[in-house]
Amino acid sequence: MARPREFDIDDALTKAVDVFWEHGYADATLPALLDGMNLTRGSLYKAFTDKKTLFLQVLGRYDEEAVSEAVALLTDPDQDGWTRIFKLFDSIEEAVRSGDHRGCLLCSAIAGPAAYDEDIEARATKSLDRLLIAFEDALETVVPAPASRALANLLVTQYVGMRVMARTHSSAEKIRESIVSLKDIAARYRP
């Protein structure tokens, strides 16, 4: 008879998010995962099969939480589109100023394992597509239709870039400079 699980799988997954977020995919070693998740090797493999499967579940969790939070902000109908967009970008600067240099787990996946693993790329692309659609929603009323798709793509690129900058310990001032440049671009579309 199989022994029942002696840990909360949801809690273990939450802890795994933190380990991957801190170390990245490549540097999240088995000992770091076991220690961070407070699991034995057997429990980790029995519950999650392998590191890649665990990481795909972590990306799913990150999408449900962090990406959904960004999407909710960008699609808030009670605020002007540019206001929504710049609240999201300002939050990057605020995080860095408060000492949070984790960046974005999704962005780290895009810059790392998504470049060589099709499954991770597919999972990351799904989340990026959600962000793209949310940026388009924010732009819908403030930018003419033909330009909105291209501008939404530019904003996703900037978002990923700024989050990677945050992870590489760029200063809040450098991130602020990027945001100011984006605001200059936005000013061209304002009436």
Side-chain angles (χ1 to χ4, degrees):
M1 184 163 121
R3 288 181 21 191
R5 265 195 197 112
E6 296 177 9
F7 65 93
D8 181 329
I9 209 156
D10 192 55
D11 181 58
L13 195 54
T14 298
K15 290 175 180 174
V17 169
D18 291 335
V19 174
F20 282 116
W21 206 350
E22 179 183 344
H23 298 285
Y25 180 73
D27 291 334
T29 62
L30 182 59
L33 287 164
L34 296 176
D35 185 51
M37 296 169 70
N38 198 27
L39 294 180
T40 65
R41 181 185 304 253
S43 294
L44 185 137
Y45 285 123
K46 189 172 184 180
F48 300 106
T49 309
D50 58 25
K51 178 179 168 178
K52 177 180 165 181
T53 302
L54 172 60
F55 189 64
L56 290 169
Q57 289 184 35
V58 160
L59 286 177
R61 169 67 61 89
Y62 191 80
D63 181 78
E64 291 170 8
E65 295 173 358
V67 175
S68 290
E69 186 178 318
V71 167
L73 174 61
L74 289 169
T75 58
D76 180 356
D78 295 329
Q79 298 182 49
D80 165 80
W82 288 120
T83 301
R84 297 182 236 165
I85 290 166
F86 289 113
K87 277 187 176 183
L88 181 62
F89 282 107
D90 289 340
S91 72
I92 300 169
E93 178 190 2
E94 290 166 15
V96 170
R97 285 195 189 282
S98 72
D100 183 351
H101 288 279
R102 294 177 301 168
C104 168
L105 181 62
L106 171 63
C107 300
S108 295
I110 292 161
Y116 56 82
D117 186 288
E118 291 179 6
D119 297 326
I120 294 173
E121 179 201 11
R123 185 67 196 90
T125 298
K126 184 177 177 182
S127 293
L128 273 184
D129 287 346
R130 289 185 66 216
L131 281 172
L132 176 65
I133 291 166
F135 273 115
E136 288 176 341
D137 184 86
L139 292 167
E140 192 174 79
T141 60
V142 294
V143 174
S148 62
R149 178 69 178 208
L151 189 53
N153 275 313
L154 174 67
L155 292 172
V156 168
T157 303
Q158 285 297 114
Y159 178 78
V160 171
M162 283 186 209
R163 297 299 299 260
V164 170
M165 286 174 64
R167 184 151 179 87
T168 61
H169 294 268
S170 287
S171 68
E173 288 72 28
K174 284 187 179 185
I175 291 171
R176 169 61 30 203
E177 288 173 16
S178 296
I179 295 169
V180 168
S181 295
L182 283 174
K183 288 183 178 182
D184 289 343
I185 291 169
R188 296 177 194 169
Y189 292 98
R190 291 189 184 229

